[in-house]
Amino acid sequence: MDVEELKNLKPDLVVDARGQSCPGPMLEAKKALTKVPAGGILEVLSSDKGTRRDLPALCKKMGHEFLGYIEEGGYDRLFVRKKK
Amino acid sequence: MSEEQEIVAVVLNKGTVDALQNLSSLITGATMMGAKVVIFLQTWGAWAFLKENISKLDQFDENAFWSPEYKEHAASVIKEMKRAGTASWYELFKEAKEEGLLEILVCSTAAEQWGANTTEAFDDLVDDITGVFEWHEIAKKSTYTYYIG
């Protein structure tokens, strides 16, 4: 998805893990995914640069779809579609 | 242990805060990716997990048991860890344990070195005392093995 498509997404849940270092944002994301309905979208806010690569790896392993990320000032907005 | 379960083996022969804190990140990464982590505690790893020593390994305490070569940096590392919201190594170990993806075994020779004949002498995170022969079988099945010493 390109940035404009990501900006138009309506997440089912937003988890704010800004200020947490690795593996904090990943732990938050994994916990939050249990609360998102199948096919729903999770948005993760993270200031840890490793999340950009860690989250796609976790999604691939768990069967979720990593949709991409948007860079904001000092943090990223990362989007995941939970597997159906 | 099921045959399909991916295993990451760790030999830990270091009982310092800096080693445990970094190991906790590796454990979290492996377990979140679905692997089971099995740790084999040799001499100094076993020392760290003795009930009487766990309290000396608080990563947010400048006076905790840091590697001597890094101790002078402890204060600045702690400050940075607090700023970055770094999770406690013990809590990360505990979380992996609660998910059933972490097993901690003490080398029987190491246990003997510290006068510990049963797991009672160790922190609750420790599962059992075993020998290098069983460890060999576990490590043989692992995807990869870390040695931290």
Side-chain angles (χ1 to χ4, degrees):
Chain A
M1 278 188 179
D2 63 30
V3 173
E4 283 312 308
E5 288 174 309
L6 292 172
K7 280 181 180 170
N8 289 327
L9 288 173
K10 300 275 182 274
D12 293 272
L13 184 64
V14 179
V15 60
D16 189 351
R18 287 175 293 181
Q20 293 189 40
S21 64
C22 175
M26 296 299 293
L27 288 164
E28 296 285 348
K30 193 176 180 187
K31 278 176 199 159
L33 274 165
T34 63
K35 297 172 192 163
V36 174
I41 291 170
L42 171 68
E43 178 177 347
V44 181
L45 308 182
S46 174
S47 49
D48 181 77
K49 288 286 180 281
T51 313
R52 290 182 185 180
R53 293 174 72 110
D54 280 346
L55 195 54
L58 181 70
C59 288
K60 191 176 175 190
K61 182 77 182 177
M62 295 177 77
H64 307 308
E65 185 185 0
F66 180 72
L67 302 171
Y69 68 89
I70 303 169
E71 280 187 76
E72 295 285 352
Y75 70 96
D76 293 327
R77 296 171 60 197
L78 305 101
F79 298 87
V80 175
R81 191 189 308 279
K82 187 172 174 175
K83 69 179 171 188
K84 288 182 181 168
Chain B
M1 251 178 251
S2 73
E3 287 302 315
E4 301 76 27
Q5 176 75 64
E6 184 189 357
I7 297 169
V8 172
V10 180
V11 177
L12 180 65
N13 183 21
K14 190 161 175 134
T16 58
V17 170
D18 39 277
L20 289 160
Q21 197 262 318
N22 285 295
L23 176 56
S24 69
S25 291
L26 297 175
I27 289 172
T28 303
T31 56
M32 282 184 69
M33 293 298 278
K36 176 167 184 169
V37 177
V38 187
I39 302 177
F40 188 56
L41 301 175
Q42 291 192 300
T43 306
W44 295 104
W47 177 89
F49 281 85
L50 286 167
K51 272 182 181 157
E52 68 212 57
N53 292 335
I54 279 282
S55 62
K56 298 171 187 165
L57 292 156
D58 175 358
Q59 77 204 54
F60 301 110
D61 179 0
E62 199 181 326
N63 297 311
F65 204 77
W66 291 77
S67 293
E69 63 268 41
Y70 307 136
K71 191 152 177 79
E72 62 177 299
H73 303 293
S76 59
V77 170
I78 290 167
K79 190 177 167 193
E80 186 54 29
M81 284 195 295
K82 284 183 175 169
R83 188 201 61 75
T86 305
S88 130
W89 73 263
Y90 190 86
E91 287 306 313
L92 291 177
F93 269 59
K94 206 169 146 190
E95 197 158 327
K97 187 90 191 165
E98 284 165 3
E99 287 190 21
L101 292 171
L102 175 64
E103 187 175 5
I104 301 181
L105 304 170
V106 181
C107 166
S108 55
T109 304
E112 211 171 298
Q113 282 170 334
W114 300 116
N117 296 320
T118 69
T119 54
E120 288 301 300
F122 295 97
D123 185 81
D124 291 343
L125 288 173
V126 168
D127 293 281
D128 210 350
I129 295 171
T130 191
V132 287
F133 294 87
E134 190 201 0
W135 176 252
H136 171 79
E137 292 302 303
I138 292 168
K140 195 168 74 179
K141 290 181 207 158
S142 69
T143 314
Y144 54 92
T145 301
Y146 289 113
Y147 178 83
I148 300 172

